Amino acid sequence: MVTAGAGVDVDLAVVGAGPAGAMAAATAARGGLRVVLLEKRRLPRHKPCGGGLPVPVQVELLDLVPEAVVDTQVRCMRHSWGFAEAVEAAIDPPGTAAERSRGLWMVQRPRFDQALVQRAAAAGARVLEGHSFTALESTAAGVELRLLQRDSGGGAAIERRLRARHVIGADGASGAVAASVGLRSSPRVALAMELEVPHRWHPGDPLLRADLLHLDYGVLRRGYAWVFPKADHLNIGAGEFHGRFRDARRDPGARPRLRAAIDGYAAALGVDPGRLAGLRAHAHPLPFWDGPEPLHSPDGRVLLVGDAAGLINPLFGDGLFHAIRSGRLAAEALLAGDPLSHTARVHELLASDFEAARRLARLFYGLPGLTYRYGISQPRSTALAVRLLGGEIPFQGLGRRALRRIALGLLGQVQPNSWQKKAPR
């Protein structure tokens, strides 16, 4: 490992070695920039995350083959309301060839992130593990970062300095880089929690299958719970996305509610409670998109990507795909010599869809029972949701269509004879 010191000069310092930071570092290094990728922990490290990716992400991963990082591929979803009224639906139409499947990739973040970091290193980026960002100062040539280098043996941390022309903040929900330049001063933050339950797959089990993802919408008021299949465990989680606290971490009741939802889901699927005993539940913040805002400093020296930029979809709560794409966009802005275009590049790709998703989220989380009955549980909804996740179709217009479907469904209940043919199916 290279040790950062006062005499080290680089074109780009990337703070945070998650998918957004690793993608930014790899893209910039491939383009000929001198890049340092900073990570406060030792790699690979545990990272709480559902780890679901739409297949179109493969376009972004370039030479990283799926076999290196994908645990399982989800081909069916089982939706439920309060662990009842369950509906299972396939993602692909019958007869779809494997190579044309839109099935979701399930990845384990330690392995996935490590693969992306290794790719960045292979492209020429220098990786500094155990280096925490603490502050930055503007200089005539760029910025000077103050870092703490932690000894893996537990010794005292050493302060280091690193000079760079540009900095990409990919430090997630902590937002230390953003705060250092006055960006994202009041982010909207949701909260998720998950439990990794060791599991061996049994072919005869109809509910716990490696190709089946579970989602429940009735167990939490403004969120949902999930069960994601991984190679050797079940990722059982829950998230509250639009609660009454702007920062859900300040809600004292959030964590107990999330843990209760997790325990309830496990019990509903027949998982012995004893298998959950002693397992640590990991809670993590989700910085949601809350409208367009600057994603680079006024001088263009500091750019934000991924969770640090608040690029989590306000409807689904997913952020991996958007993190990867924003990392690429930031690096491309620097390679083009136009860092001041970064915010516009991200907004051009994501803003209109995220704004439409935010409007739809008000309906979805405001009328969850109705949207489940007349939307989610309908036959076409699963395939539609996956295409939305992958950016294959836009969110625009879905809110109006969803309201129309709910209205028709309610009218069909009030006047079943006259509306029977028009009720959604």
Side-chain angles (χ1 to χ4, degrees), residues 173-364:
S174 69
V177 173
S180 70
V181 290
L183 296 175
R184 290 186 50 76
S185 58
S186 180
R188 178 173 291 280
V189 181
L191 189 66
M193 179 183 289
E194 56 201 50
L195 204 63
E196 295 180 346
V197 183
H199 186 73
R200 295 181 63 183
W201 301 102
H202 301 286
D205 192 329
L207 292 182
L208 295 179
R209 309 195 315 259
D211 69 337
L212 179 63
L213 178 152
H214 298 257
L215 296 168
D216 187 273
Y217 309 90
V219 68
L220 291 167
R221 178 172 169 78
R222 291 187 174 269
Y224 63 85
W226 66 81
V227 179
F228 291 171
K230 301 300 177 71
D232 57 1
H233 69 270
L234 304 171
N235 180 290
I236 308 178
E240 288 193 341
F241 302 137
H242 295 277
R244 59 191 183 93
F245 286 78
R246 184 169 181 83
D247 188 335
R249 291 172 293 187
R250 299 191 178 122
D251 182 351
R255 284 174 173 79
R257 289 193 298 269
L258 295 175
R259 181 57 198 251
I262 291 171
D263 292 342
Y265 221 150
L269 294 177
V271 177
D272 187 337
R275 293 173 55 190
L276 278 59
L279 298 179
R280 179 185 174 189
H282 298 275
H284 56 101
L286 300 172
F288 265 44
W289 172 270
D290 196 34
E293 59 183 314
L295 301 179
H296 62 260
S297 59
D299 60 5
R301 293 294 184 183
V302 178
L303 288 65
L304 304 180
V305 297
D307 288 9
L311 300 182
I312 289 181
N313 185 294
L315 176 62
F316 294 135
D318 64 303
L320 263 182
F321 191 20
H322 318 306
I324 291 168
R325 291 194 289 181
S326 67
R328 169 180 58 81
L329 290 174
E332 289 175 352
L334 295 179
L335 290 171
D338 191 13
L340 294 174
S341 70
H342 173 59
T343 297
R345 288 171 186 255
V346 174
H347 287 176
E348 182 179 1
L349 178 66
L350 296 174
S352 61
D353 248 18
F354 274 15
E355 284 297 287
R358 184 162 66 143
R359 292 191 294 271
L360 189 57
R362 295 192 189 105
L363 172 64
F364 182 88

Side-chain angles (χ1 to χ4, degrees), residues 26-97:
T27 305
R30 282 173 182 256
L33 298 185
R34 296 170 297 167
V35 180
V36 166
L37 178 58
L38 303 163
E39 170 56 42
K40 64 182 179 181
R41 289 185 283 176
R42 298 288 166 177
L43 298 168
R45 78 281 189 265
H46 181 269
K47 185 73 174 178
C49 177
L53 284 168
V55 169
V57 75
Q58 187 167 5
V59 176
E60 300 284 351
L61 298 181
L62 300 175
D63 54 349
L64 187 63
V65 297
E67 291 78 10
V69 293
V70 176
D71 264 19
T72 64
Q73 187 167 14
V74 167
R75 301 186 187 278
C76 300
M77 294 188 185
R78 184 177 183 267
H79 309 280
S80 61
W81 179 261
F83 311 134
E85 302 180 39
V87 175
E88 183 176 325
I91 291 173
D92 301 312
T96 301

Side-chain angles (χ1 to χ4, degrees), residues 387-398:
R387 294 178 69 190
L388 288 167
L389 277 170
E392 298 178 74
I393 57 175
F395 281 86
Q396 287 89 331
L398 287 181

